[in-house]
Amino acid sequence: MGVDSNTLATWLADYDPSQITIGVVASHSSLQILHGARLEGFKTLGIAVGENRRRYYKAFPGAEPDEWLMLENYREMLDYAEWFRKRNVVIIPHGSLVEYLGSTNFRSLQVPTFGNRGILHWESSRDRQRQWLEAGGCTMPKVYTDPHDIDGPVIVKYAGAKGGRGYFIARDYRDFRRNADLEDEFTIQEYALGCRYYLHFFFDPTATDGFQVQGRGSHAGQNLGRLELLSMDRRDEANVDEFYKLGSLRDLREKGIEPSFVVTGNQPVVIRESLLPRAFEMAEGTVSASFELEEGAKGMIGPFCLETIVTDQLEFKVFEISARIVAGSNPFIGGSPYSDINEPFMSTGRRIARSIKKSIADGTLLDILS
Ligand code: ATP
């Protein structure tokens, strides 16, 4: 169940545009979102479970919410829908919110939310992501349906795995058999060798200038909106990043040690400038394909991240998309080498707030919320 545009319009009709409050769950990229909202002149609301969570925001007065909603558990947010709407709250979703609520609850949360919640259906399954990204012209790592066909290093991803926990690398079929838990649902993907770049884009469907995304299919010949590149990161992943220091994979495996991919932090990066045209081509294709995913699709709105590996042939392989703000944008609360070119101090969090501010002024909130 989602929220249809009539319902959204009814809620917004009761909102006082001058009193809109940015609400965010206190985790993930909340410091950035709260800081950005404040820079754009919004009132802010933090949503948290546990006094400890609230207390640490005292250390960051520049982002401390004006008001808090303290809960016993995050699912209570569903019961507070009317409370949020009475306070003119617009929720900014991030990965932790979706994880804490569950994707079905998140989609049916009866509160105006930044971005397109409908896209979650496409983002939440590996098969649908592949369909979408390939339709957008991205090259993805090969998938092996039969483990006997493994002919080079692969990464095995379990369906319910979160943040790379529980993934493992296999070099051949024997390796796979030795490590795989065949009871669980998994995907076997080519292990793409190269360097990882997580590209943080922003799509503004209300802007008519700048790098305009060209529509395709039922939108052929139309400009869909402006695509911006805000920043780029690379994740620190424990313990695979430091694994090489301990010897060969074979030696370690004999001792029962496997590399893991648990995200512990993020580092800022930039990419070779000559790769930028291809980066934009992939992102443009992904955005325009998002409008064709189903009839009447609202398409991408706001921040999204293409998670890529660039090979030594200088080719991008896209292994995942996140259709919302990613925590990898946190190193750029003060701006990035890309966003600084256009406007200093423009984080993704602030860019979201700017988008809401402009839509309030133009009367186009329905185009950027769901
Ligand atoms: P999240 O949802 O937090 O993005 P996830 O659990 O969906 O994480 P992935 O992003 O798919 O996991 O992968 C986790 C990590 O595994 C990546 O950051 C990357 O280091 C590595 N990885 C994933 N797919 C590949 C691949 N095909 N080739 C090489 N490395 C990969």
Side-chain angles (χ1 to χ4, degrees):
M1 191 178 75
V3 169
D4 63 52
S5 43
N6 287 339
T7 308
L8 178 65
T10 315
W11 295 338
L12 291 178
D14 289 338
Y15 269 42
D16 175 352
S18 68
Q19 294 300 314
I20 282 186
T21 297
I22 300 290
V24 68
V25 162
S27 184
H28 190 270
S29 44
S30 64
L31 286 173
Q32 182 192 159
I33 292 168
L34 291 162
H35 176 252
R38 184 175 295 187
L39 289 180
E40 293 299 310
F42 285 103
K43 286 202 299 188
T44 55
L45 169 76
I47 304 154
V49 170
E51 201 46 47
N52 251 352
R53 197 40 85 89
R54 170 157 80 173
R55 189 167 162 251
Y56 109 94
Y57 285 76
K58 289 263 169 242
F60 300 102
E64 200 178 359
D66 297 314
E67 195 186 348
W68 282 97
L69 174 65
M70 299 304 293
L71 301 172
E72 294 292 315
N73 68 65
Y74 287 105
R75 286 183 192 215
E76 273 180 50
M77 280 177 73
L78 301 172
D79 307 328
Y80 274 86
E82 215 180 309
W83 185 94
F84 285 122
R85 296 203 306 269
K86 280 211 175 100
R87 281 164 179 72
N88 305 288
V89 171
V90 170
I91 299 277
I92 312 299
H94 52 51
S96 300
L97 170 67
V98 179
E99 199 182 316
Y100 296 159
L101 278 188
S103 60
T104 312
N105 284 335
F106 168 63
R107 285 187 72 181
S108 59
L109 180 68
Q110 302 288 298
V111 186
T113 298
F114 184 77
N116 177 8
R117 280 188 268 181
I119 215 100
L120 198 71
H121 171 70
W122 291 89
E123 196 211 50
S124 61
S125 117
R126 286 214 174 87
D127 288 342
R128 284 193 292 268
Q129 273 203 16
R130 181 167 287 265
Q131 205 182 318
W132 172 15
L133 289 167
E134 288 186 342
C138 299
T139 307
M140 299 193 69
K142 175 176 159 187
V143 164
Y144 294 83
T145 42
D146 181 350
H148 292 96
D149 294 340
I150 296 174
D151 54 1
V154 294
I155 179 162
V156 182
K157 303 182 174 186
Y158 289 106
K162 283 275 171 308
R165 196 180 288 275
Y167 288 6
F168 73 89
I169 297 172
R171 288 157 306 169
D172 48 34
Y173 177 69
R174 273 187 54 212
D175 235 14
F176 169 81
R177 270 314 301 243
R178 207 168 27 220
N179 290 283
D181 176 358
L182 300 175
E183 302 287 296
D184 245 336
E185 204 185 310
F186 56 79
T187 308
I188 307 171
Q189 225 178 55
E190 160 199 359
Y191 188 88
L193 265 179
C195 295
R196 290 169 298 126
Y197 295 91
Y198 299 73
L199 317 177
H200 316 147
F201 286 97
F202 191 96
F203 177 66
D204 183 343
T206 68
T208 51
D209 59 349
F211 184 102
Q212 283 291 310
V213 170
Q214 307 293 301
R216 56 171 67 186
S218 62
H219 295 82
Q222 290 176 30
N223 285 343
L224 298 176
R226 186 171 72 211
L227 180 65
E228 302 163 23
L229 174 65
L230 291 182
S231 49
M232 252 176 236
D233 79 300
R234 177 170 308 149
R235 294 177 180 170
D236 288 331
E237 292 173 333
N239 51 25
V240 69
D241 289 348
E242 302 292 319
F243 217 64
Y244 68 95
K245 290 182 182 163
L246 297 182
S248 74
L249 190 58
R250 192 188 301 262
D251 292 346
L252 291 166
R253 196 159 264 167
E254 276 165 12
K255 295 185 176 64
I257 304 173
E258 288 290 331
S260 51
F261 296 83
V262 177
V263 181
T264 56
N266 304 85
Q267 297 188 34
V269 289
V270 291
I271 206 162
R272 269 173 87 133
E273 200 162 305
S274 56
L275 289 170
L276 285 179
R278 175 63 186 144
F280 269 84
E281 189 178 51
M282 294 187 308
E284 177 178 33
T286 302
V287 171
S288 57
S290 72
F291 284 81
E292 306 301 319
L293 290 174
E294 47 207 293
E295 218 183 301
K298 207 168 170 179
M300 179 74 78
I301 300 167
F304 68 100
C305 174
L306 293 180
E307 305 183 7
T308 75
I309 290 166
V310 177
T311 69
D312 59 4
Q313 299 304 303
L314 296 177
E315 283 166 353
F316 281 97
K317 298 221 168 151
V318 182
F319 59 90
E320 180 151 302
I321 180 168
S322 292
R324 69 180 82 81
I325 187 169
V326 287
S329 59
N330 286 340
F332 309 105
I333 294 183
S336 87
Y338 297 111
S339 62
D340 280 353
I341 295 171
N342 300 324
E343 183 173 341
F345 298 106
M346 186 52 74
S347 68
T348 299
R350 185 175 184 188
R351 184 65 189 81
I352 292 171
R354 175 70 60 86
S355 184
I356 296 171
K357 189 164 140 181
K358 183 168 173 289
S359 280
I360 293 170
D362 297 348
T364 55
L365 273 179
L366 270 173
D367 295 341
I368 60 162
L369 306 181
S370 67

